[in-house]
Amino acid sequence: MTNTPRKTEPFQTIVPTKAMNMFLFPFSFDRKNKEQLVHALEANLFEFFSIQNKHLEKEYYGEQYYVSHDSLDQYFLPYIECILFPDSCEKEGLLRFSKK
């Protein structure tokens, strides 16, 4: 058997027309100061992300682009969802805050 190259279709040229930027600034904090940090973020108009808070789906990217909370809920396994998407600031997990 010889190694003959397969014929493939040429790549299609793609010309981007829009770009969306998302910036994530992960940081750690001392658990003793968690409440102060949450209050400071909320005072600066950051909103806690909760998968149950469906009004956030179209809040940040406009009507054309959105993150389906039902899809997030469906595709993340139940045993890690509570860590990835805690439903309150008081619970343990990865806390997410967003600002428009």
Side-chain angles (χ1 to χ4, degrees):
M1 180 178 253
T2 61
N3 286 339
T4 58
R6 292 186 341 191
K7 277 191 165 186
T8 59
E9 295 294 318
F11 288 103
Q12 178 183 8
T13 302
I14 299 173
V15 179
T17 58
K18 292 182 182 180
M20 292 179 55
N21 296 312
M22 181 185 303
F23 302 98
L24 301 174
F25 299 105
F27 55 91
S28 61
F29 56 90
D30 185 345
R31 288 180 189 222
K32 294 182 287 186
N33 299 323
K34 178 180 174 182
E35 191 174 324
Q36 289 175 312
L37 175 61
V38 168
H39 288 305
L41 287 168
E42 290 173 341
N44 284 283
L45 305 178
F46 284 85
E47 189 168 3
F48 177 70
F49 176 85
S50 170
I51 211 166
Q52 285 77 29
N53 195 351
K54 302 239 175 165
H55 93 273
L56 295 176
E57 285 184 333
K58 297 184 179 181
E59 183 70 20
Y60 301 105
Y61 308 112
E63 289 293 317
Q64 202 171 12
Y65 305 100
Y66 66 95
V67 177
S68 167
H69 289 204
D70 288 335
S71 292
L72 286 173
D73 195 26
Q74 178 181 0
Y75 293 114
F76 286 98
L77 300 174
Y79 64 89
I80 63 169
E81 181 181 328
C82 60
I83 296 168
L84 293 177
F85 305 112
D87 58 5
S88 77
C89 296
E90 289 76 35
K91 296 201 175 170
E92 291 290 323
L94 302 175
L95 303 180
R96 290 174 169 80
F97 286 83
S98 297
K99 184 176 182 179
K100 190 170 183 181

